């Protein structure tokens, strides 16, 4: 005896319904993310600055104009922990290499840190540059970044140069935020940098 139950219409198939809902969700998700995920607003506009390049290319307001910068500082001496921090910081290059140079990493290096970072500097590229010099050369920029950190944190603030935080600077040379140099901080700073690179400093 044959089954006389008529087949369900294809549009009542739960797998098809699930597929259509998923496709619709994936279609609108970028617009939802764009609405609610934004890079932090500007904290402080930097005055024009320039530092001697140690490797990778020029490092200055003019050289980095139109690029998003993720930067960190090592004044030294650079011990194994310092070297490991910088290696971890440099992994961000892999997460922004699809942006055609829109995001650049910069390590500000004090004279005492140069020796410990020589190996990394030899592998520098325009995507990850090293700059620095004497304390007198670094102080004007580090002072501005310290003022930005003071605005970013509720008192008492931290010492920017010694805290090894990651700072985000936008295409207009404005400080946009600071993150701890740990896994979560690196991830969040990269996400913010990507948003700026994709949508500009004034979305």
């Amino acid at each position: 005896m044959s089954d006389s139950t008529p087949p369900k219409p294809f549009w009542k198939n739960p797998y098809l319904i699930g597929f259509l809902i998923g496709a619709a969700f994936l279609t609108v998700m970028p617009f939802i993310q764009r609405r609610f995920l934004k890079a932090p607003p500007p904290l402080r506009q930097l005055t024009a600055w320039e530092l001697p390049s140690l490797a990778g290319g020029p490092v200055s307001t003019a050289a980095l104009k139109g690029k998003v910068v993720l930067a960190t500082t090592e004044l030294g001496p650079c011990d194994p922990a310092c070297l490991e921090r910088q290696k971890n910081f440099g992994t961000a290059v892999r997460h922004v290499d699809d942006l055609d140079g829109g995001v650049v990493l910069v390590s500000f290096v004090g004279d005492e840190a140069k020796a410990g970072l020589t190996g990394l500097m030899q592998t520098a590229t325009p995507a990850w540059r090293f700059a620095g010099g004497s304390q007198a050369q670094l102080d004007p920029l580090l002072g501005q970044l310290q003022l930005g950190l003071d605005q970013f944190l509720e008192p008492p603030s931290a010492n920017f140069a010694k805290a090894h935080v990651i700072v985000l600077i936008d295409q207009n040379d404005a400080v946009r935020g600071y993150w701890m140099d740990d896994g979560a901080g690196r991830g969040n700073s990269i996400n913010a940098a990507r948003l700026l690179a994709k949508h500009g400093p004034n979305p």
Side-chain angles (χ1 to χ4, degrees):
M1 180 176 180
S2 62
D3 186 358
S4 60
T5 304
K8 289 183 179 180
F10 74 93
W11 49 268
K12 287 188 177 182
N13 186 315
Y15 297 105
L16 175 62
I17 294 172
F19 172 79
L20 293 175
I21 291 174
F25 180 77
L26 292 174
T27 300
V28 302
M29 179 54 73
F31 299 99
I32 296 173
Q33 289 179 325
R34 184 70 193 97
R35 182 179 179 86
F36 294 104
L37 295 180
K38 295 182 179 180
L43 279 169
R44 185 175 188 85
Q45 182 65 48
L46 300 176
T47 60
W49 57 275
E50 181 175 6
L51 287 171
S53 175
L54 303 177
V59 181
S60 66
T61 297
L64 297 169
K65 184 176 178 59
K67 297 184 181 298
V68 179
V69 174
L70 288 171
T72 188
T73 304
E74 294 289 352
L75 297 183
C78 192
D79 57 14
C82 154
L83 184 59
E84 187 66 18
R85 272 195 305 272
Q86 285 298 301
K87 287 180 178 178
N88 288 334
F89 173 67
T91 61
V93 170
R94 301 199 302 264
H95 302 286
V96 298
D97 60 1
D98 61 317
L99 299 173
D100 299 323
V103 177
V104 175
L105 274 61
V106 178
S107 293
F108 300 128
V109 180
D111 279 342
E112 293 184 359
K114 288 180 183 177
L117 293 173
T118 298
L120 282 183
M121 287 192 285
Q122 290 174 345
T123 66
T125 69
W128 184 13
R129 310 179 191 193
F130 292 78
S134 68
Q135 196 65 47
Q137 290 172 307
L138 287 165
D139 274 348
L141 176 59
L142 296 187
Q144 292 190 72
L145 296 177
Q146 179 66 57
L147 290 174
L149 184 59
D150 293 342
Q151 292 175 235
F152 187 69
L153 295 176
E154 294 183 4
S157 184
N159 185 307
F160 171 76
K162 294 180 179 180
H164 309 295
V165 296
I166 299 169
V167 58
L168 174 64
I169 303 171
D170 71 17
Q171 297 94 324
N172 294 331
D173 214 26
V175 175
R176 301 297 285 256
Y178 298 81
W179 288 265
M180 294 299 296
D181 186 18
D182 55 21
R186 288 190 295 272
N188 290 331
S189 67
I190 290 168
N191 288 336
R194 289 184 62 85
L195 284 170
L196 285 171
K198 286 185 174 183
H199 305 291
N202 302 301

